[in-house]
Each structure stands twice: as C-alpha cells, then as structure tokens.
Amino acid sequence: MRVFNFSAGPAALPEEVLRQAADEMLDWHGSGMSVMEMSHRGKEFMAIHDEALADLHELLAIPSSHQILLLQGGGIGENAIVPMNLFGTKPRADFVITGSWSQKSQKEASKYGSAHIAASGQTADGFTRAPARAEWQLSDDPAYVHLCTNETIHGVETFDIPDLGDIPLVADASSHILSRPMDVAKYGVLFGGAQKNIGIAGVTVVIVREDLLDRAMPICPSAFEWKTVALNNSMYNTPPTYAIYIAGLVFKWLKKLGGLPAIEARNVEKAKLLYDTIDTSSFYLNKVERGARSRMNVPFFLADESRNEAFLAGAKARGLVQLKGHKSVGGMRASIYNAVPLEGVKALVEYMKEFERKGA
Amino acid sequence: MRVFNFSAGPAALPEEVLRQAADEMLDWHGSGMSVMEMSHRGKEFMAIHDEALADLHELLAIPSSHQILLLQGGGIGENAIVPMNLFGTKPRADFVITGSWSQKSQKEASKYGSAHIAASGQTADGFTRAPARAEWQLSDDPAYVHLCTNETIHGVETFDIPDLGDIPLVADASSHILSRPMDVAKYGVLFGGAQKNIGIAGVTVVIVREDLLDRAMPICPSAFEWKTVALNNSMYNTPPTYAIYIAGLVFKWLKKLGGLPAIEARNVEKAKLLYDTIDTSSFYLNKVERGARSRMNVPFFLADESRNEAFLAGAKARGLVQLKGHKSVGGMRASIYNAVPLEGVKALVEYMKEFERKGA
C-alpha cells in the first residue's frame, strides 16, 4: 500500500513515473542497458537529456534569452554558486528575507562580497509576510537582488514579482518551480533543487539569462561556473544522469496533465481545501498573511500543542506521513507538491476534522 | 537482452542490484514509499544511509582516523573542492601527473594557489607510466601531494603507494576504488565519483583523515566544506538520496561476493585475459608499461586503424558496447569495472580473435 507523503523534500513522485522507471530499469528502450549504466556521451543518454531540456523549455515557456543548466549541489550549493558566478565585477547583492532559505542565501553570499538585506518579512510571529517591492530598500547598483519565491520551511510564497529593470533578479524557486506558470523573462536567474516538483535529489535546475554567463569570480570552481557548464551542454563534468532521466519522466507527466496551467488549477484546489480547513477551525492555525500563503508548503499548528504527538501518530496510522513541522518552527507542515494528489489532501483534511472532533 | 557494457562511466551495474532497485521502486520495505520519495531526515532513509556507510567502512577497512563524506560534484568538482579545503594555511600543493585526470586536477588547483608538478608520466607515446616515488620532486612543505591512482582515459594505474610521512597524500581513486583492497591509512584524502565501481553518477565518496577537516579557505562553499559536511553526517544539504541507496546495494553485492579480496581476484583474471589477448597479437596494441597497466580501463589500438569502425560495428552487433576510445587518445578502450562479468571479457576477447582472423 502506498502512503500519502507530505514530505518537504525529497518528496512524493507521480506513481506512474515510478512505475515507468521500474519497468525500464534493466533495459531502456531495447538498449540492453539501464539508464543508470549509460555513458553520458552516448546517443541514448544524450536523447534523454535533450528531450528533458526541451520539455522543460516548453513547460516553463523559457524565452530564447535564457538557458537551462543542470548542476549538482542543490539550493544550498547554489547559495555559493550564484555569488561566485555574479560577483566577478560587482561583489555586492541585495537580499529580500522571507524565511530560513533566503537567510541562508544571504549569509553564504557574504563570504564572497557584500550581502545587503533589502527587506525582511519577519514579524513577532516569525516569517509570515512577503514584503512588497515598495518596501525593498535596494542598494546602489547591486550585482543582483536575491529572492526566495517560496520559503519551504515558513510556507511564504511571493506571487507579485516586480520588474527590476537592469538589475538581475535571482530567484530560488526550489520548492514551487513547476507548480504554476512563471514569467521567466522577469528573472536573471531562476534556480531550483529537483527534490520537490522536478524529480529526485541530486540535480539542480539553473535557468540563466545569457548575458549573465560572463560575470564569474576567478575562484569559481569549473564544475559550477555557469559559462563552462553552458558551453558544455551541462556535461563538463559527468551529470547526475539518472536524476535527469527521472526529471524527464516528470516533465512528460506534467505535459500529459496539461502543463503548468492545469497543475496550477489542481494546486489551487488542493491549497484552498487545506487552508479552508485550517481557517474554519479554532483547533488549527496558520500564521502566514493570506496573500503570501504558499500553495506548496502549509505549516500549521494545533491550538493545543500537547496533542502534537497524538496527531502525528493518528495520521501515520491512516497512511498520512511526514507531517511534522520543521524543527525550527515546530507544529505541523503539509507539503502538497504537484505529485501529491487531491485525494491525499482530502484524506488529510478528513483526518484533521476527525481528530478535532474526537481525537486520534 | 542485456548487453556487455564497457563504458568508462557511468558504467555497468550488477544486474541483481538493478533487479532489487526495480522491485523496491514503489514501496521500500513496506514503507509505502519509493526511496526516491523519502525525506533524508526520516528514519527510513537514515537507516539506508548509515548502513551504506557502515558497509563501505567494512569493505575498505577504513581506520577510525578517517571519515567518509558523501558530496556532490564528482571528481571534477573535487578538483576545486580539495584545494578549497586544504589551502587554508598553505596554498600550495604538488601534483604527480599520470594522465588527463591529474592534469585537470593540477590546472584547477592553480586557481586557488600554487600547483607544482612534481613528476610526469608523459612519454613520446603519451601517458604510459606511473612515476615512482624516487622520481617525485616534491616542493618544500606542500599542503598535500595529489595523485590520480587510476587514470581512466590513459589506463595507467599506480600500485605502489609511497609513505609520505607528514605530507598528506590526496588520491583521486574514482575509477578503481573498490576494485581491490587499499591501505586507507596511507592517504590523507581518498575520493571517487560513484559512476564506476560505486553506483550511479551524482554522489562523490570522500574519505578524509580527521585532522585535515580544519584547513579550509574562507571562500569554500558551505555545501562542499568537509568540516561542515562531516559535522552534519553528510546532510548539511539534501544528499543525493537515491544515488546513496544504489551505492548501498552495490556494497551489499560486494560483501556477498566476498569483499575486496574476492573482487580483486576476479579483476586480476579479467585484466589478464584481456591484456594477454592484446600482447599475444600483433593486431592489437597497448602502450602502457606493464607494471602500470590499469585493471579497470584497458585502452588498446588496432595496428590498422582504418579497421576501427568495422571493429566497433562488429562488436556492437554482438552486444559488446561502449568500446570506442576516448577522443583525446583514439583507438579502443574496454573498461572492465567490478560489475563487468568475466563472461563479458571472454566474449570480448573471443570477438577480438575472430575479428583479427576474419574481420567483423
């Protein structure tokens, strides 16, 4: 029996992707090899790689001004890789702080230059807001402005993306990329670790505007220098081939569903169901401002926190797993990424109502 | 039908590892989840991770002075990560150049400090030797000495590892780690990308002597700083969970076979069969000195290079794939890693003899 998995990442994958991966494990399309065993230079894997990139281009409607790079190191790796790639001539950037992830990005960037905090969404209740553009106090001529467009831990999503003119906007979209259409042209750099909506941990998608490929610091490692990666079609070092294959299967699944507008409609419905359940009860609580509530990561608290363990145990007994909140926040968190079906959210809210009514 | 796959990496995996991965794809041990979907902080994945590390400790008989770290970025990533971790107080190192990989390591390290070439195995025939310790001209008090103990492209393996006393020896063992027992105590750092004998591309095993964990440059990215990685049990950033799971299955397979002494005996037999076939023929040629011939990567040439394409086409028709030599060397290369069975090498040498006798 498969559970409903609300993990923040690595996270649920579409069951049909897993079935196809299992079916093709020993012999991919008559090649006599597993995808795991293929040379990254061979024509079989090149076809898998190129098709995954083409599908991602199509899904996100990526303009020709931007390139997709596939790296390793995840979001935390990218926290260093971004400044190492953009601080070559101007070692300073601005950061909009909306939660733990943008905090980490700011701290890491300060190893390579000046990392100015332009705005913060911190309140007495923790990180509960997405500061609007009018609040951002940008410094003079920064190399870029960093924004985490969805904070996985605090459940804060930024929906209103400003146009910064000549200043490149760098977005860490790890935990909501592919959850809805995005206007990629607004971003200088858009990156995301794969282990939420893209596939499995170990590959990072970095979408870069081409004019930003030439600004690296000399100390940037070759394996992570975007220009080198771009010139080598993301094969300067051996890419994480199997993670790219799984991402490709997820992209096909998304296309078959109807692409990002279709998955957005599903995600809106799922999020509404869960937030409505929380809001119509005094038993559960979410502290994030309504306009900044994440559709992907829904942290919530029980009014009576002494019931937390009972809540989690009852959930697990019903096959609803990974609901414990991040240790820095406490309470609960339901991550309802693309691959978590509506049925999973329905099962969760039914359980929440039942628990409220009569306990686990 | 499964082929015999002589790819230099990503490379052949044991068929029983692939079968187990396929069987467990939708539900690992009754968890209701694929390993791909598991939180890296959950007890299921922690068990997989810890067991893989314990098995690797046992296989390599790693002394308590050394820790295993799991990183991303592969060997090429490590070419920068090593100096960034060891150049904190002494930004200089010595390099023994035995082929393309050590060349790349030396070039990348020179971005972070002085990278002195202590010896070179280059001859009129290319890289064909492993210079002995007596030839190494070490500089005064280097931070470390770098050696690629098996050059994947040139097929040069170093069997005689010197004791350097207080100078840490850093070895890139990517393409022969786990092919035979190694005396880990001799190395300050031993690293390897997984995509040869460990598992799939996307995870790098770095075995570090603990006293070397505290020598990083301030610009070393947190995700790649060994001390940070060590303090967080290789989970400072989300690890490539599925690649670690596959590595764990490979370690179990190796243990079941009898560990590294047993696989070494198999590898000696396979290599002897192939080199003997080359040496007893004037049709085929390997240029590497006999004492430095790699047991894992066997480059060879046809005396009549105009027959190359015919050789490769005939091989492919018999299910012997990925035999084309690296573009920088030409000719052929058979990589006969742990997971390539003796039957595969037998099929190859039979084909080579047949091709010599009568063509494809």
Side-chain angles (χ1 to χ4, degrees), chain B residues 286-298:
Chain B
N286 169 285
K287 300 176 183 174
V288 178
E289 278 190 5
R290 296 205 174 199
R293 282 175 163 182
S294 170
R295 289 182 191 151
M296 295 285 104
N297 309 102
V298 183

Side-chain angles (χ1 to χ4, degrees), chain A residues 60-135:
Chain A
L60 275 170
I62 298 173
S64 59
S65 50
H66 288 61
Q67 279 195 35
I68 304 170
L69 310 179
L70 301 176
L71 280 88
Q72 296 181 54
I76 292 187
E78 217 55 36
N79 283 346
I81 294 168
V82 169
M84 288 194 294
N85 273 282
L86 295 178
F87 275 2
T89 49
K90 283 188 276 192
R92 55 187 183 275
D94 291 346
F95 291 78
V96 178
I97 308 295
T98 48
S100 295
W101 285 97
S102 39
Q103 270 185 320
K104 275 193 189 181
S105 300
Q106 187 268 342
K107 189 175 171 209
E108 185 79 359
S110 70
K111 291 162 65 166
Y112 305 97
S114 164
H116 168 69
I117 294 176
S120 169
Q122 196 158 21
T123 68
D125 282 331
F127 286 101
T128 57
R129 312 176 49 238
R133 170 69 184 91
E135 293 177 51

Side-chain angles (χ1 to χ4, degrees), chain B residues 221-241:
Chain B
S222 304
F224 304 114
E225 194 189 47
W226 294 335
K227 188 176 184 179
T228 300
V229 176
L231 287 173
N232 289 279
N233 194 23
S234 296
M235 302 218 185
Y236 179 72
N237 59 347
T238 307
T241 48

Side-chain angles (χ1 to χ4, degrees), chain A residues 1-3 5 10-11 13 18 25-26 32 37-38 72-73 108 111-112 195 201 218-220 222 224 237-239, chain B residues 1-3 5 10-11 13 18 25-26 32 37-38 72-73 108 111-112 195 201 218-220 222 224 237-239:
Chain A
M1 187 199 98
R2 299 256 307 155
V3 295
N5 178 4
L13 284 165
L18 297 173
M25 182 64 82
L26 273 92
E37 303 176 296
M38 290 177 181
Q72 296 181 54
E108 185 79 359
K111 291 162 65 166
Y112 305 97
Q195 64 270 19
I219 51 107
C220 185
S222 305
F224 304 114
N237 58 347
T238 307
Chain B
M1 188 200 97
R2 299 255 307 156
V3 295
N5 178 4
L13 284 165
L18 297 173
M25 182 64 82
L26 273 93
E37 304 177 294
M38 289 177 184
Q72 296 181 53
E108 185 80 358
K111 292 163 66 166
Y112 306 96
Q195 65 269 21
I219 51 106
C220 185
S222 304
F224 304 114
N237 59 347
T238 307

Side-chain angles (χ1 to χ4, degrees), chain B residues 86-93 141-143 215:
Chain B
L86 295 178
F87 274 3
T89 47
K90 282 188 277 191
R92 54 187 184 275
D141 194 26
R215 302 186 181 186

Side-chain angles (χ1 to χ4, degrees), chain A residues 19-38 242 245, chain B residues 1-5 12-25 242:
Chain A
R19 287 193 190 283
Q20 187 172 347
D23 286 348
E24 296 178 344
M25 182 64 82
L26 273 92
D27 182 4
W28 183 83
H29 296 198
S31 65
M33 283 182 276
S34 176
V35 174
M36 294 185 178
E37 303 176 296
M38 290 177 181
Y242 200 72
Y245 159 72
Chain B
M1 188 200 97
R2 299 255 307 156
V3 295
F4 289 118
N5 178 4
L13 284 165
E15 192 171 313
E16 67 184 79
V17 165
L18 297 173
R19 287 192 190 282
Q20 186 172 348
D23 286 348
E24 297 178 344
M25 182 64 82
Y242 200 72

Side-chain angles (χ1 to χ4, degrees), chain B residues 74-98:
Chain B
I76 292 187
E78 217 54 36
N79 283 346
I81 293 168
V82 169
M84 288 195 295
N85 273 283
L86 295 178
F87 274 3
T89 47
K90 282 188 277 191
R92 54 187 184 275
D94 291 347
F95 291 79
V96 177
I97 309 294
T98 47

Side-chain angles (χ1 to χ4, degrees), chain A residues 172-188:
Chain A
D172 176 355
S174 292
S175 52
H176 74 156
I177 192 169
L178 297 181
S179 69
R180 55 180 166 92
M182 297 177 86
D183 182 1
V184 175
K186 281 188 169 177
Y187 302 87

